Amino acid sequence: MSLPYGARFTAEHWFDRLIIALDDGGGRDLPVRIYDSPDKTNLIQETLFKHVGPSRALHMIFEPLPPGEYFWELDPGGQVTVAQIYITSTYKGTYVNGNLMTGYDLRSKIMYCSDELQERAVAVTGDPIDQGGTQVKEGSSIMAVQVGTVEKNVARELDELNNGGRILTGSWYVETA
């Protein structure tokens, strides 16, 4: 498919991850968005997946969302991607370029999480992430932290390291004694 496509879904509980299965992403950057409905009146979350190749499961990780009706959409930008589908599905929740499709559904799933509010650790410049002296070069200013628990050994997505690298999506680095 080369047009924007996606699926309507219902979350029965709080969830914090969407997983979309692709046979081939074409080696390109692919944006995935979560909206409130197929009408796309309210953008809730957006993630850009870089250089998506063959046989990939895109793991979109975000702050927990409450139960309700949602719609995810992947936009290949006019280039061909190969989605994994369920043939002869009866769900009827798949949309291609805003049009409801029948006869198949896209392969995806959501991951439920706790509905208890929790303070989450944040990265602060200087946090160590291994025993070799690698540290977070850029991160939250300690004075900018309004909510959360400041702990060492925790880094956020795309925080730069003093060795020139960057933290990858969803990476948590824990120093062990």
Side-chain angles (χ1 to χ4, degrees):
M1 291 187 268
S2 60
L3 298 171
Y5 57 90
R8 179 174 39 94
F9 65 96
T10 302
E12 300 291 338
H13 200 278
W14 286 78
F15 68 106
D16 64 354
R17 185 176 299 193
L18 169 69
I19 302 171
I20 301 169
L22 294 178
D23 279 337
D24 193 354
R28 289 176 304 283
D29 297 350
L30 297 175
V32 176
R33 298 174 185 99
I34 297 178
Y35 295 96
D36 59 340
S37 71
D39 297 330
K40 302 188 280 188
T41 54
N42 183 24
L43 176 64
I44 297 170
Q45 181 71 33
E46 181 176 32
T47 300
L48 180 65
F49 293 91
K50 299 281 195 174
H51 312 294
V52 179
S55 300
R56 292 288 306 273
L58 305 179
H59 289 253
M60 186 176 187
I61 303 167
F62 41 85
E63 289 295 316
L65 294 173
E69 299 291 323
Y70 295 92
F71 174 74
W72 67 259
E73 182 178 68
L74 186 148
D75 186 357
Q79 303 296 316
V80 174
T81 60
V82 183
Q84 288 190 11
I85 61 174
Y86 292 113
I87 303 294
T88 65
S89 172
T90 59
Y91 176 60
K92 297 185 175 91
T94 297
Y95 288 77
V96 176
N97 203 29
N99 299 311
L100 182 62
M101 307 304 287
T102 59
Y104 66 89
D105 276 307
L106 302 168
R107 189 169 180 204
S108 64
K109 68 179 175 179
I110 59 174
M111 303 289 287
Y112 290 122
C113 63
S114 171
D115 58 354
E116 294 179 16
L117 295 177
Q118 300 176 14
E119 289 189 334
R120 294 176 176 249
V122 295
V124 181
T125 302
D127 282 349
I129 63 168
D130 61 24
Q131 296 200 40
T134 306
Q135 294 183 341
V136 176
K137 183 176 176 184
E138 61 184 32
S140 300
S141 163
I142 191 70
M143 298 308 291
V145 177
Q146 302 296 319
V147 178
T149 305
V150 177
E151 295 179 6
K152 67 176 189 170
N153 309 323
V154 179
R156 300 174 310 171
E157 177 184 2
L158 298 182
D159 280 343
E160 189 176 349
L161 306 177
N162 65 348
N163 66 4
R166 288 195 177 272
I167 300 299
L168 301 177
T169 303
S171 297
W172 291 65
Y173 293 79
V174 180
E175 182 178 51
T176 57

